[in-house]
Amino acid sequence: MTKLALPLASGLALALTAGVAAAQVPQGYPADYAATIEAAKKEGKVVVYGTTDAAAANFLVKDFEALYGLKVEYNDLNSTELYNRFIAEAAAGQGTADVTWSSAQDLQIKLVNDGYGAAYKTPEAAAIPSWANYKDSAYGVTYEPVAIIYNKRLVPAEDVPKSHEDLLKLLTAKPDAYKGKVTAYDPERSGVGYLFFTQDDLAFKQAWDLFKAFGKTEIKLYTSAGAMLERVTSGEHLIGYGVFGSYALSRSKKDANIGIVLPKDYTLIASRVAFLSSKAKNPNAGKLFLDYMLSKRGQTIIANQAELYSLRDDVQGEATVAKVKEQVGNAIRPIQINADLASNLDTVKRLKFLKQWQAALKGN
């Protein structure tokens, strides 16, 4: 992971000291925000359930703890585990996370719609895209391109797919060469996988032909990006489909064998969605943490240390909106954070999709 440049790091250090000493209200925030800060300090901690790897989230956690003098209890879970744990704990009435932050955007919207989210208009609302704000209750925090990765040593240059259509043509033309060599999220076991494949269905008219090609080449499915990256790095698999560009970027800096493609026909933009629990034990600390993640300070750390891609246009660095637009231009397709996402989780609709998915993998 890259470190902040010295001037920025020094500036943050000065800000933290001032923040802890005087519980300063961030510039541009309403004056009564001081009461929220003081109430949060009395709560003493914030509990966060997140799907972001703890190593990446730790940059935010440590800076927030230093800034406000609060403890962050960060729980690293996969998207399905997070959803199930949150529901179970809420049903038991014993309290759950104060902030829930997940890459499974549809599951997050469902939780909000089911009454588990607390309405809260962050003071940072004007600085984020309108598509990343759902009813002032759920907010996108990142701007992550969904990439295709490949092993540079083992995939010939002429085989590297530059689009979804290229990948379909490659797997159709060379099924034996790529049998067991392609990997992706499992839509049946991964909330993120289901989200990405349903979005492909909306964006790509040949999506089901591609899914059938996955079946013919015996695609290997996983529940974590880490597993996919490890196996593409080792050469066990050659191509990884639908991988968070943030994780791919970070891994490529450690391993020059990882190649990254942002598809030129369309590149999905995923955003890790956060909301405040309506059953939070530390509601004020939750507000502070959400606001911090969306602030320019938090977003700068997201872009330059956590490498998760900042959502804000006013943040500079490699993992930013500007850098993605440089690479794919108008091919960006943000996954809108709206009620349509939750509709995909309708039991009948989900079962229909997964039944069609299973049939496609069998070549039907």
Side-chain angles (χ1 to χ4, degrees):
M1 300 269 179
T2 56
K3 301 296 184 184
L4 283 174
L6 184 57
L8 177 57
S10 300
L12 291 183
L14 291 172
L16 337 162
T17 305
V20 172
Q24 288 184 328
V25 174
Q27 186 174 1
Y29 280 36
D32 61 6
Y33 196 79
T36 301
I37 295 174
E38 291 307 317
K41 287 181 176 293
K42 291 177 181 178
E43 292 166 355
K45 69 176 182 179
V46 58
V47 179
V48 181
Y49 289 174
T51 58
T52 300
D53 289 351
N58 196 49
F59 291 107
L60 291 167
V61 167
K62 293 303 180 184
D63 185 53
F64 176 83
E65 288 181 334
L67 178 60
Y68 286 114
L70 297 172
K71 174 68 177 174
V72 178
E73 292 184 9
Y74 186 81
N75 297 265
D76 180 358
L77 307 163
N78 76 38
S79 54
T80 302
E81 287 175 335
L82 184 152
Y83 177 84
N84 290 335
R85 177 171 173 178
F86 187 95
I87 289 291
E89 291 179 345
Q94 298 178 349
T96 184
D98 303 309
V99 179
T100 301
W101 185 31
S102 174
S103 49
Q105 299 174 214
D106 46 3
L107 290 175
Q108 291 289 84
I109 298 306
K110 176 172 171 52
L111 287 172
V112 170
N113 285 345
D114 289 346
Y116 295 107
Y120 171 65
K121 185 167 185 176
T122 173
E124 300 290 349
I128 64 175
S130 58
W131 60 260
N133 178 350
Y134 180 65
K135 296 183 177 180
D136 289 338
S137 296
Y139 297 92
V141 175
T142 59
Y143 187 94
E144 298 176 69
V146 179
I148 297 172
I149 61 170
Y150 64 97
N151 186 302
K152 289 182 178 179
R153 289 184 297 111
L154 302 174
V155 177
E158 63 271 19
D159 282 6
V160 176
K162 299 297 192 296
S163 67
H164 297 83
E165 185 176 2
D166 284 352
L167 181 58
L168 171 58
K169 289 178 178 177
L170 174 66
L171 300 185
T172 301
K174 299 182 176 181
D176 292 333
Y178 288 94
K179 185 163 289 186
K181 297 299 183 179
V182 181
T183 180
Y185 277 112
D186 185 341
E188 296 185 73
R189 296 185 297 142
S190 164
V192 173
Y194 179 75
L195 171 65
F196 287 176
F197 282 121
T198 54
Q199 289 295 311
D200 282 333
D201 187 24
L202 294 173
F204 185 35
K205 65 182 180 181
Q206 293 178 284
W208 288 100
D209 292 329
L210 178 59
F211 302 163
K212 289 178 183 177
F214 286 159
K216 290 178 181 177
T217 52
E218 298 178 6
I219 192 169
K220 304 302 179 184
L221 303 171
Y222 298 94
T223 58
S224 76
M228 290 187 272
L229 285 160
E230 287 289 346
R231 286 163 175 79
V232 172
T233 298
S234 71
E236 179 180 344
H237 304 320
L238 302 180
I239 295 175
Y241 179 80
V243 178
F244 280 105
S246 51
Y247 292 153
L249 175 64
S250 179
R251 180 60 65 93
S252 70
K253 291 182 176 180
K254 300 172 185 175
D255 189 333
N257 290 321
I258 288 289
I260 305 171
V261 172
L262 300 187
K264 65 181 182 181
D265 51 349
Y266 69 91
T267 292
L268 294 176
I269 302 297
S271 188
R272 296 164 199 259
V273 173
F275 70 83
L276 304 176
S277 172
S278 59
K279 301 181 183 298
K281 290 186 176 180
N282 308 294
N284 294 289
K287 291 176 182 177
L288 257 59
F289 192 77
L290 175 64
D291 296 338
Y292 165 79
M293 288 198 295
L294 295 174
S295 71
K296 188 172 182 179
R297 175 181 177 138
Q299 290 280 305
T300 298
I301 289 176
I302 281 174
N304 293 288
Q305 289 183 281
E307 294 179 335
L308 294 174
Y309 285 86
S310 167
L311 185 74
R312 294 174 59 127
D313 287 326
D314 59 352
V315 171
Q316 296 181 340
E318 185 173 9
T320 57
V321 173
K323 290 297 183 181
V324 175
K325 289 182 177 178
E326 279 181 16
Q327 294 179 66
V328 297
N330 293 330
I332 54 173
R333 185 185 173 95
I335 301 175
Q336 306 282 318
I337 302 172
N338 57 30
D340 290 343
L341 284 177
S343 71
N344 279 332
L345 296 172
D346 172 79
T347 302
V348 174
K349 185 179 289 189
R350 186 173 188 276
L351 289 176
K352 180 181 178 181
F353 183 91
L354 292 179
K355 184 177 180 179
Q356 190 175 353
W357 166 262
Q358 292 164 354
L361 292 191
K362 294 176 182 177
N364 300 321

